[in-house]
Amino acid sequence: MALLLTPDTVGYLAAALTTASFVPQVWHSLRSRNFAGLSLRMYTMFCTGVALWLVYGWMLGQWPIVIANGVTLALAGTILAMALRARAARAPGT
């Protein structure tokens, strides 16, 4: 049986790989609670960009784009939220 490479198949495969790449970082962050090396500016910009890609995919009705960016936004947003919470807890005067 030959592998059928349609544009949607390529899109779903790309989405699965790029989205899955965030799982180790989320897992590490959840376990260690260490966010010292993370750039909050980078994660804020990245999450904003991913959210815009999600909207773009939605507007085009392109489900590989919507699903991949929805999951990626959830994973990257989790890291960003935990890092912001950790930074707020370290802030002086709290």
Side-chain angles (χ1 to χ4, degrees):
M1 180 170 100
L3 179 63
L4 183 61
L5 285 179
T6 66
D8 276 351
T9 303
V10 172
Y12 281 114
L13 182 58
L17 292 173
T18 56
T19 300
S21 71
F22 273 90
V23 172
Q25 182 65 55
V26 172
W27 182 252
H28 173 75
S29 297
L30 285 170
R31 283 190 10 233
S32 71
R33 302 285 185 203
N34 181 0
F35 306 98
L38 293 179
S39 167
L40 293 180
R41 184 176 298 153
M42 177 271 187
Y43 266 90
T44 300
M45 292 171 63
F46 181 77
C47 286
T48 302
V50 169
L52 291 172
W53 273 112
L54 190 150
V55 171
Y56 174 73
W58 186 271
M59 292 171 80
L60 294 178
Q62 295 294 317
W63 293 107
I65 297 172
V66 172
I67 293 168
N69 287 290
V71 174
T72 301
L73 183 58
L75 293 170
T78 298
I79 295 168
L80 179 60
M82 292 185 330
L84 288 170
R85 207 171 303 139
R87 178 171 280 188
R90 287 192 326 255
T94 59

Coordinates of all heavy atoms in Angstrom, one line a residue:
M1 N 0.8 -1.2 0.0 CA 0.0 0.0 0.0 C 0.9 1.3 0.0 O 1.8 1.4 0.8 CB -0.9 0.0 1.2 CG -1.8 1.2 1.3 SD -3.0 1.0 2.6 CE -2.3 2.0 3.9
A2 N 0.7 2.1 -0.9 CA 1.5 3.3 -1.0 C 0.9 4.4 -0.1 O -0.3 4.5 0.1 CB 1.4 3.8 -2.5
L3 N 1.8 5.2 0.4 CA 1.4 6.3 1.3 C 0.9 7.4 0.4 O 1.5 7.9 -0.5 CB 2.6 6.8 2.0 CG 2.4 8.0 3.0 CD1 1.5 7.6 4.1 CD2 3.7 8.4 3.6
L4 N -0.3 7.8 0.7 CA -1.0 8.9 -0.1 C -0.7 10.2 0.5 O -1.1 10.6 1.6 CB -2.5 8.6 -0.1 CG -3.4 9.6 -0.9 CD1 -2.9 9.5 -2.4 CD2 -4.8 9.3 -0.8
L5 N 0.1 11.0 -0.2 CA 0.5 12.3 0.3 C -0.4 13.4 -0.3 O 0.0 14.0 -1.4 CB 2.0 12.6 0.1 CG 3.0 11.9 0.9 CD1 4.4 12.2 0.5 CD2 2.7 12.2 2.4
T6 N -1.4 13.7 0.3 CA -2.3 14.8 -0.1 C -1.8 16.1 0.7 O -1.1 16.0 1.7 CB -3.8 14.5 0.2 OG1 -3.9 14.5 1.7 CG2 -4.2 13.2 -0.4
P7 N -2.2 17.2 0.2 CA -1.9 18.5 1.0 C -2.4 18.4 2.4 O -1.6 18.8 3.3 CB -2.6 19.6 0.2 CG -2.6 19.1 -1.2 CD -2.9 17.6 -1.1
D8 N -3.5 17.9 2.7 CA -4.0 17.7 4.1 C -3.2 16.8 4.9 O -2.9 17.0 6.1 CB -5.5 17.3 4.1 CG -6.4 18.5 4.0 OD1 -6.0 19.6 4.0 OD2 -7.7 18.2 3.8
T9 N -2.7 15.7 4.3 CA -1.9 14.7 5.0 C -0.6 15.4 5.4 O -0.1 15.2 6.5 CB -1.6 13.5 4.1 OG1 -2.8 12.9 3.7 CG2 -0.7 12.5 4.8
V10 N 0.0 16.1 4.5 CA 1.3 16.8 4.8 C 1.0 17.9 5.9 O 1.8 18.0 6.8 CB 1.9 17.5 3.5 CG1 3.0 18.4 3.8 CG2 2.3 16.4 2.5
G11 N -0.1 18.6 5.8 CA -0.4 19.6 6.8 C -0.6 19.0 8.2 O -0.1 19.5 9.2
Y12 N -1.3 17.8 8.2 CA -1.5 17.2 9.5 C -0.2 16.6 10.1 O 0.0 16.7 11.3 CB -2.6 16.1 9.4 CG -4.0 16.6 9.4 CD1 -4.8 16.5 8.3 CD2 -4.5 17.2 10.6 CE1 -6.1 17.0 8.3 CE2 -5.8 17.7 10.6 CZ -6.6 17.6 9.5 OH -7.9 18.1 9.5
L13 N 0.6 16.1 9.2 CA 1.9 15.6 9.7 C 2.8 16.7 10.2 O 3.4 16.6 11.3 CB 2.6 14.8 8.6 CG 4.0 14.2 8.9 CD1 3.8 13.2 10.1 CD2 4.5 13.5 7.7
A14 N 2.9 17.8 9.5 CA 3.6 19.0 9.9 C 3.1 19.5 11.2 O 3.8 19.9 12.1 CB 3.6 20.1 8.8
A15 N 1.8 19.6 11.3 CA 1.1 20.1 12.5 C 1.4 19.2 13.7 O 1.7 19.7 14.8 CB -0.4 20.2 12.3
A16 N 1.3 17.9 13.5 CA 1.6 17.0 14.6 C 3.0 17.1 15.1 O 3.3 17.1 16.4 CB 1.3 15.5 14.2
L17 N 4.0 17.2 14.2 CA 5.4 17.3 14.6 C 5.7 18.6 15.3 O 6.4 18.6 16.4 CB 6.3 17.1 13.4 CG 6.3 15.7 12.9 CD1 7.1 15.6 11.6 CD2 6.8 14.7 13.9
T18 N 5.3 19.7 14.7 CA 5.6 21.0 15.3 C 4.9 21.2 16.7 O 5.4 21.8 17.6 CB 5.3 22.2 14.4 OG1 4.0 22.1 14.0 CG2 6.2 22.1 13.2
T19 N 3.7 20.7 16.8 CA 2.9 20.9 18.0 C 3.5 20.0 19.1 O 3.7 20.4 20.2 CB 1.4 20.5 17.8 OG1 0.9 21.4 16.8 CG2 0.6 20.6 19.0
A20 N 3.9 18.7 18.7 CA 4.4 17.8 19.7 C 5.8 18.3 20.2 O 6.2 17.9 21.3 CB 4.6 16.4 19.1
S21 N 6.4 19.2 19.5 CA 7.7 19.7 19.9 C 7.6 20.5 21.2 O 8.6 20.7 21.9 CB 8.4 20.5 18.8 OG 7.7 21.7 18.7
F22 N 6.4 21.0 21.5 CA 6.2 21.8 22.8 C 6.0 20.9 24.0 O 6.1 21.3 25.1 CB 5.1 22.7 22.6 CG 5.5 24.0 22.0 CD1 5.5 24.2 20.7 CD2 6.0 25.1 22.8 CE1 5.9 25.4 20.1 CE2 6.4 26.3 22.3 CZ 6.4 26.4 20.9
V23 N 5.6 19.6 23.8 CA 5.3 18.8 24.9 C 6.5 18.6 25.9 O 6.3 18.7 27.1 CB 4.7 17.4 24.4 CG1 4.6 16.4 25.6 CG2 3.4 17.6 23.7
P24 N 7.7 18.3 25.4 CA 8.8 18.2 26.4 C 9.0 19.5 27.2 O 9.3 19.4 28.4 CB 10.0 17.9 25.5 CG 9.5 17.3 24.3 CD 8.1 18.0 24.1
Q25 N 8.9 20.6 26.6 CA 9.0 21.9 27.4 C 7.9 22.0 28.5 O 8.2 22.4 29.6 CB 9.1 23.1 26.5 CG 9.3 24.4 27.2 CD 10.7 24.5 27.9 OE1 11.7 24.3 27.2 NE2 10.7 24.7 29.2
V26 N 6.7 21.8 28.1 CA 5.6 21.9 29.0 C 5.8 20.9 30.2 O 5.7 21.2 31.3 CB 4.2 21.6 28.3 CG1 3.1 21.5 29.4 CG2 4.0 22.7 27.4
W27 N 6.2 19.6 29.8 CA 6.4 18.6 30.8 C 7.5 19.0 31.8 O 7.4 18.9 33.0 CB 6.7 17.3 30.1 CG 6.9 16.1 31.1 CD1 8.1 15.5 31.4 CD2 5.9 15.5 31.9 NE1 7.9 14.5 32.4 CE2 6.5 14.5 32.7 CE3 4.5 15.7 32.0 CZ2 5.8 13.7 33.5 CZ3 3.8 14.8 32.9 CH2 4.5 13.9 33.6
H28 N 8.6 19.5 31.2 CA 9.8 19.9 32.1 C 9.4 21.1 33.0 O 9.7 21.1 34.1 CB 10.9 20.3 31.2 CG 12.1 21.0 31.9 ND1 12.9 20.2 32.7 CD2 12.5 22.2 32.0 CE1 13.8 21.0 33.2 NE2 13.5 22.3 32.9
S29 N 8.6 22.1 32.4 CA 8.2 23.2 33.2 C 7.3 22.8 34.3 O 7.4 23.4 35.4 CB 7.6 24.3 32.3 OG 8.5 24.7 31.3
L30 N 6.3 21.9 34.0 CA 5.4 21.5 35.0 C 6.1 20.8 36.2 O 5.8 21.0 37.4 CB 4.3 20.6 34.5 CG 3.3 21.2 33.6 CD1 2.4 20.2 32.9 CD2 2.4 22.1 34.5
R31 N 7.1 19.9 35.8 CA 7.8 19.2 36.8 C 8.8 20.0 37.6 O 8.9 19.9 38.9 CB 8.6 18.0 36.2 CG 7.7 16.9 35.8 CD 8.4 15.6 35.4 NE 9.8 15.6 35.6 CZ 10.7 15.3 34.7 NH1 10.3 15.0 33.5 NH2 12.0 15.4 35.0
S32 N 9.6 20.9 36.9 CA 10.6 21.6 37.6 C 10.2 22.9 38.2 O 10.9 23.4 39.1 CB 11.8 21.8 36.6 OG 11.4 22.8 35.7
R33 N 9.2 23.6 37.6 CA 8.8 24.9 38.0 C 9.9 25.9 37.8 O 10.0 26.9 38.5 CB 8.2 25.0 39.4 CG 7.1 24.1 39.7 CD 5.8 24.6 39.1 NE 4.7 23.8 39.5 CZ 3.6 23.7 38.9 NH1 3.4 24.5 37.8 NH2 2.6 23.0 39.2
N34 N 10.8 25.6 36.9 CA 12.0 26.5 36.6 C 11.8 27.2 35.3 O 11.8 26.5 34.3 CB 13.3 25.6 36.6 CG 14.5 26.5 36.4 OD1 14.4 27.7 36.2 ND2 15.6 25.9 36.3
F35 N 11.6 28.5 35.3 CA 11.4 29.3 34.1 C 12.4 30.3 33.9 O 12.3 31.2 33.1 CB 10.0 30.0 34.2 CG 8.9 29.0 34.5 CD1 8.4 28.8 35.8 CD2 8.3 28.3 33.5 CE1 7.4 28.0 36.1 CE2 7.3 27.4 33.8 CZ 6.8 27.2 35.1
A36 N 13.6 30.2 34.6 CA 14.6 31.2 34.5 C 15.1 31.4 33.1 O 15.5 32.5 32.8 CB 15.8 30.8 35.5
G37 N 15.2 30.4 32.3 CA 15.8 30.5 31.0 C 14.8 30.9 29.9 O 15.2 31.1 28.7
L38 N 13.5 31.1 30.3 CA 12.5 31.4 29.3 C 12.4 32.9 29.1 O 12.4 33.7 30.0 CB 11.1 30.9 29.7 CG 11.0 29.4 29.8 CD1 9.6 29.0 30.3 CD2 11.3 28.7 28.4
S39 N 12.2 33.3 27.8 CA 12.0 34.7 27.5 C 10.5 34.9 27.5 O 9.8 34.4 26.6 CB 12.6 35.0 26.1 OG 12.2 36.3 25.7
L40 N 10.0 35.7 28.4 CA 8.6 36.0 28.4 C 8.2 36.8 27.2 O 7.1 36.7 26.7 CB 8.2 36.8 29.7 CG 8.4 36.0 31.0 CD1 8.0 36.9 32.2 CD2 7.5 34.8 31.0
R41 N 9.1 37.7 26.7 CA 8.8 38.5 25.5 C 8.6 37.5 24.3 O 7.7 37.7 23.5 CB 9.9 39.5 25.3 CG 9.6 40.4 24.1 CD 10.6 41.5 23.9 NE 10.6 42.3 25.1 CZ 11.7 43.0 25.5 NH1 12.8 42.9 24.9 NH2 11.6 43.7 26.6
M42 N 9.5 36.6 24.2 CA 9.4 35.6 23.1 C 8.1 34.8 23.1 O 7.4 34.7 22.2 CB 10.6 34.7 23.1 CG 10.6 33.6 22.0 SD 9.7 32.2 22.6 CE 10.0 31.0 21.3
Y43 N 7.8 34.3 24.3 CA 6.6 33.5 24.5 C 5.3 34.3 24.3 O 4.3 33.8 23.7 CB 6.6 32.7 25.8 CG 7.1 31.4 25.7 CD1 8.5 31.1 25.9 CD2 6.3 30.3 25.3 CE1 9.0 29.9 25.8 CE2 6.9 29.0 25.2 CZ 8.2 28.8 25.4 OH 8.7 27.6 25.3
T44 N 5.3 35.6 24.7 CA 4.2 36.4 24.4 C 4.0 36.7 22.9 O 2.9 36.6 22.4 CB 4.4 37.8 25.2 OG1 4.5 37.5 26.6 CG2 3.2 38.7 24.9
M45 N 5.1 37.0 22.3 CA 5.0 37.2 20.8 C 4.6 35.9 20.1 O 3.8 35.9 19.2 CB 6.3 37.7 20.3 CG 6.7 39.1 20.8 SD 8.3 39.7 20.4 CE 8.3 39.7 18.6
F46 N 5.2 34.8 20.5 CA 4.9 33.5 19.9 C 3.4 33.2 20.1 O 2.7 32.8 19.1 CB 5.8 32.4 20.5 CG 5.5 31.1 19.8 CD1 6.0 30.8 18.6 CD2 4.8 30.1 20.5 CE1 5.8 29.6 18.0 CE2 4.5 28.9 19.9 CZ 5.0 28.6 18.6
C47 N 2.9 33.3 21.3 CA 1.5 33.0 21.5 C 0.5 33.9 20.7 O -0.5 33.4 20.2 CB 1.1 33.1 23.0 SG 1.8 31.7 24.0
T48 N 0.9 35.2 20.6 CA 0.1 36.1 19.8 C 0.1 35.6 18.3 O -0.9 35.6 17.6 CB 0.6 37.5 19.9 OG1 0.6 37.9 21.3 CG2 -0.2 38.5 19.1
G49 N 1.3 35.3 17.8 CA 1.4 34.8 16.4 C 0.6 33.6 16.2 O 0.0 33.4 15.2
V50 N 0.7 32.6 17.1 CA 0.0 31.3 17.0 C -1.5 31.6 17.0 O -2.3 31.0 16.2 CB 0.4 30.3 18.1 CG1 -0.5 29.1 18.1 CG2 1.9 29.9 17.8
A51 N -1.9 32.5 17.9 CA -3.4 32.8 17.9 C -3.8 33.4 16.6 O -4.9 33.1 16.1 CB -3.6 33.8 19.0
L52 N -3.0 34.3 16.0 CA -3.3 34.8 14.7 C -3.4 33.7 13.6 O -4.2 33.8 12.7 CB -2.4 35.9 14.3 CG -2.5 37.2 15.1 CD1 -1.4 38.2 14.8 CD2 -3.9 37.9 14.9
W53 N -2.4 32.8 13.6 CA -2.5 31.7 12.7 C -3.7 30.9 12.9 O -4.3 30.4 11.9 CB -1.2 30.8 12.9 CG -0.1 31.2 12.1 CD1 1.1 31.7 12.6 CD2 0.1 31.1 10.7 NE1 2.0 31.9 11.6 CE2 1.4 31.6 10.4 CE3 -0.7 30.8 9.6 CZ2 1.9 31.7 9.1 CZ3 -0.2 30.9 8.3 CH2 1.1 31.3 8.1
L54 N -4.2 30.7 14.1 CA -5.4 30.0 14.4 C -6.6 30.7 13.7 O -7.4 30.1 13.0 CB -5.6 29.8 15.9 CG -6.7 28.9 16.3 CD1 -6.4 28.3 17.7 CD2 -8.0 29.6 16.4
V55 N -6.7 32.0 13.9 CA -7.7 32.8 13.3 C -7.7 32.7 11.8 O -8.7 32.5 11.1 CB -7.7 34.2 13.8 CG1 -8.7 35.1 13.0 CG2 -8.0 34.3 15.3
Y56 N -6.5 32.8 11.2 CA -6.3 32.7 9.8 C -6.8 31.3 9.3 O -7.5 31.3 8.3 CB -4.8 32.9 9.5 CG -4.4 32.6 8.1 CD1 -4.7 33.6 7.1 CD2 -3.7 31.5 7.7 CE1 -4.3 33.4 5.8 CE2 -3.3 31.3 6.4 CZ -3.6 32.2 5.4 OH -3.2 32.0 4.1
G57 N -6.4 30.3 9.9 CA -6.9 28.9 9.5 C -8.4 28.8 9.6 O -9.0 28.2 8.7
W58 N -8.9 29.4 10.7 CA -10.4 29.4 10.8 C -11.1 30.1 9.7 O -12.1 29.7 9.1 CB -10.8 30.0 12.2 CG -12.2 29.9 12.5 CD1 -13.2 30.8 12.2 CD2 -12.9 28.9 13.2 NE1 -14.4 30.4 12.6 CE2 -14.2 29.2 13.3 CE3 -12.4 27.7 13.8 CZ2 -15.1 28.3 13.9 CZ3 -13.3 26.9 14.4 CH2 -14.7 27.2 14.4
M59 N -10.6 31.3 9.4 CA -11.1 32.1 8.3 C -11.1 31.4 6.9 O -12.0 31.5 6.1 CB -10.4 33.4 8.2 CG -10.7 34.3 9.4 SD -9.7 35.8 9.4 CE -10.6 36.8 8.3
L60 N -10.0 30.6 6.7 CA -9.9 29.8 5.5 C -10.6 28.5 5.5 O -10.7 27.8 4.5 CB -8.4 29.6 5.1 CG -7.6 30.9 4.8 CD1 -6.2 30.5 4.6 CD2 -8.2 31.6 3.6
G61 N -11.0 28.1 6.7 CA -11.6 26.7 6.9 C -10.6 25.6 6.7 O -10.9 24.5 6.3
Q62 N -9.3 25.9 7.1 CA -8.2 24.9 7.0 C -8.0 24.3 8.3 O -7.3 24.8 9.2 CB -7.0 25.6 6.4 CG -7.1 26.2 5.1 CD -7.2 25.1 4.0 OE1 -6.6 24.1 4.1 NE2 -8.2 25.3 3.1
W63 N -8.6 23.1 8.5 CA -8.5 22.4 9.8 C -7.1 22.0 10.2 O -6.9 22.1 11.4 CB -9.5 21.2 9.8 CG -10.9 21.8 9.7 CD1 -11.7 21.7 8.7 CD2 -11.5 22.5 10.7 NE1 -12.9 22.4 9.0 CE2 -12.8 22.9 10.3 CE3 -11.2 22.9 12.0 CZ2 -13.7 23.6 11.0 CZ3 -12.1 23.6 12.8 CH2 -13.4 23.9 12.3
P64 N -6.2 21.6 9.3 CA -4.8 21.4 9.9 C -4.2 22.6 10.5 O -3.6 22.5 11.6 CB -4.0 21.0 8.6 CG -5.1 20.5 7.6 CD -6.3 21.3 7.9
I65 N -4.5 23.8 10.0 CA -4.0 25.0 10.6 C -4.7 25.3 11.9 O -4.0 25.6 12.9 CB -4.1 26.2 9.6 CG1 -3.3 25.9 8.4 CG2 -3.7 27.5 10.3 CD1 -3.5 27.0 7.3
V66 N -6.0 25.1 11.9 CA -6.8 25.4 13.1 C -6.4 24.5 14.3 O -6.1 24.9 15.4 CB -8.3 25.3 12.8 CG1 -9.1 25.4 14.1 CG2 -8.7 26.4 11.8
I67 N -6.4 23.2 14.0 CA -6.1 22.2 15.1 C -4.7 22.4 15.6 O -4.5 22.4 16.8 CB -6.4 20.8 14.6 CG1 -7.9 20.6 14.3 CG2 -5.9 19.7 15.5 CD1 -8.2 19.4 13.5
A68 N -3.7 22.4 14.7 CA -2.3 22.5 15.1 C -2.1 23.8 16.0 O -1.4 23.7 17.0 CB -1.4 22.6 13.9
N69 N -2.6 24.9 15.5 CA -2.4 26.1 16.2 C -3.2 26.2 17.5 O -2.7 26.8 18.5 CB -2.6 27.3 15.3 CG -1.4 27.5 14.3 OD1 -0.3 27.8 14.7 ND2 -1.7 27.1 13.1
G70 N -4.3 25.6 17.6 CA -5.1 25.5 18.8 C -4.4 24.7 19.9 O -4.2 25.2 21.0
V71 N -3.8 23.6 19.5 CA -3.1 22.8 20.5 C -1.8 23.5 20.9 O -1.4 23.5 22.0 CB -2.8 21.4 19.9 CG1 -1.9 20.6 20.9 CG2 -4.1 20.6 19.7
T72 N -1.1 24.0 19.9 CA 0.2 24.7 20.2 C -0.1 25.9 21.1 O 0.7 26.2 22.0 CB 0.9 25.2 18.8 OG1 1.1 24.0 18.0 CG2 2.2 25.9 19.1
L73 N -1.1 26.7 20.8 CA -1.5 27.8 21.7 C -1.7 27.3 23.1 O -1.3 28.0 24.1 CB -2.6 28.6 21.1 CG -3.1 29.8 21.9 CD1 -1.9 30.8 21.9 CD2 -4.3 30.5 21.2
A74 N -2.4 26.2 23.3 CA -2.7 25.7 24.6 C -1.4 25.3 25.3 O -1.2 25.7 26.5 CB -3.6 24.5 24.5
L75 N -0.5 24.7 24.6 CA 0.8 24.3 25.2 C 1.7 25.5 25.5 O 2.2 25.6 26.6 CB 1.5 23.3 24.3 CG 0.9 21.9 24.1 CD1 1.5 21.1 23.0 CD2 0.9 21.1 25.4
A76 N 1.9 26.3 24.5 CA 2.8 27.5 24.7 C 2.1 28.5 25.7 O 2.8 29.1 26.6 CB 3.0 28.2 23.4
G77 N 0.8 28.6 25.7 CA 0.1 29.4 26.7 C 0.2 28.9 28.1 O 0.3 29.7 29.0
T78 N 0.3 27.6 28.2 CA 0.5 27.0 29.6 C 1.9 27.4 30.1 O 2.0 27.8 31.3 CB 0.4 25.5 29.5 OG1 -1.0 25.2 29.1 CG2 0.7 24.9 30.8
I79 N 2.9 27.3 29.3 CA 4.2 27.7 29.7 C 4.3 29.2 30.0 O 4.8 29.6 31.1 CB 5.2 27.4 28.6 CG1 5.3 25.9 28.4 CG2 6.6 28.0 28.9 CD1 6.1 25.5 27.1
L80 N 3.7 30.0 29.2 CA 3.7 31.5 29.4 C 2.9 31.8 30.7 O 3.4 32.6 31.5 CB 3.0 32.2 28.2 CG 2.9 33.7 28.4 CD1 4.3 34.4 28.5 CD2 2.2 34.3 27.2
A81 N 1.8 31.2 30.9 CA 1.0 31.5 32.2 C 1.8 31.1 33.4 O 1.8 31.8 34.4 CB -0.3 30.8 32.1
M82 N 2.4 29.9 33.3 CA 3.2 29.4 34.5 C 4.4 30.3 34.8 O 4.7 30.6 35.9 CB 3.6 28.0 34.3 CG 2.5 27.0 34.3 SD 2.9 25.2 34.3 CE 4.4 25.1 33.4
A83 N 5.1 30.8 33.7 CA 6.2 31.6 33.8 C 5.8 33.0 34.4 O 6.5 33.6 35.3 CB 6.9 31.8 32.5
L84 N 4.7 33.5 33.9 CA 4.2 34.8 34.5 C 3.8 34.7 35.9 O 4.1 35.6 36.7 CB 3.0 35.3 33.6 CG 3.3 35.8 32.2 CD1 2.1 36.0 31.4 CD2 4.2 37.1 32.3
R85 N 3.2 33.6 36.3 CA 2.8 33.3 37.7 C 4.0 33.2 38.6 O 4.1 33.8 39.7 CB 2.0 32.1 37.8 CG 1.0 32.1 38.9 CD 0.0 30.9 38.9 NE -0.7 31.0 37.7 CZ -1.1 29.9 36.9 NH1 -0.7 28.7 37.3 NH2 -1.8 30.0 35.8
A86 N 5.1 32.5 38.1 CA 6.3 32.4 38.8 C 7.0 33.7 39.0 O 7.5 34.0 40.1 CB 7.2 31.4 38.1
R87 N 7.0 34.5 37.9 CA 7.6 35.8 38.0 C 6.9 36.7 39.0 O 7.5 37.5 39.8 CB 7.7 36.5 36.7 CG 8.3 37.9 36.7 CD 8.5 38.5 35.4 NE 9.7 37.9 34.9 CZ 10.3 38.3 33.8 NH1 9.8 39.3 33.1 NH2 11.5 37.8 33.4
A88 N 5.6 36.7 39.0 CA 4.8 37.5 39.9 C 5.0 37.0 41.4 O 5.1 37.9 42.3 CB 3.3 37.4 39.6
A89 N 5.2 35.7 41.6 CA 5.5 35.3 43.0 C 6.9 35.7 43.5 O 7.0 35.9 44.7 CB 5.4 33.7 43.0
R90 N 7.8 35.9 42.5 CA 9.1 36.4 42.9 C 9.2 37.9 43.1 O 10.2 38.4 43.5 CB 10.2 35.9 41.9 CG 10.5 34.5 41.9 CD 11.7 34.2 41.1 NE 11.9 35.0 39.9 CZ 11.6 34.7 38.6 NH1 11.2 33.5 38.4 NH2 11.8 35.5 37.7
A91 N 8.2 38.6 42.6 CA 8.3 40.1 42.6 C 8.4 40.6 44.0 O 7.7 40.1 44.9 CB 7.0 40.6 41.9
P92 N 9.2 41.6 44.2 CA 9.4 42.2 45.6 C 8.1 42.9 46.0 O 7.3 43.4 45.2 CB 10.5 43.2 45.4 CG 10.6 43.4 43.9 CD 10.1 42.3 43.2
G93 N 7.8 42.8 47.3 CA 6.7 43.5 47.9 C 5.4 42.6 47.8 O 4.3 43.2 48.0
T94 N 5.5 41.4 47.4 CA 4.3 40.5 47.4 C 4.3 39.5 48.5 O 5.3 39.2 49.1 CB 4.2 39.8 46.1 OG1 5.4 39.0 45.9 CG2 4.0 40.7 44.9

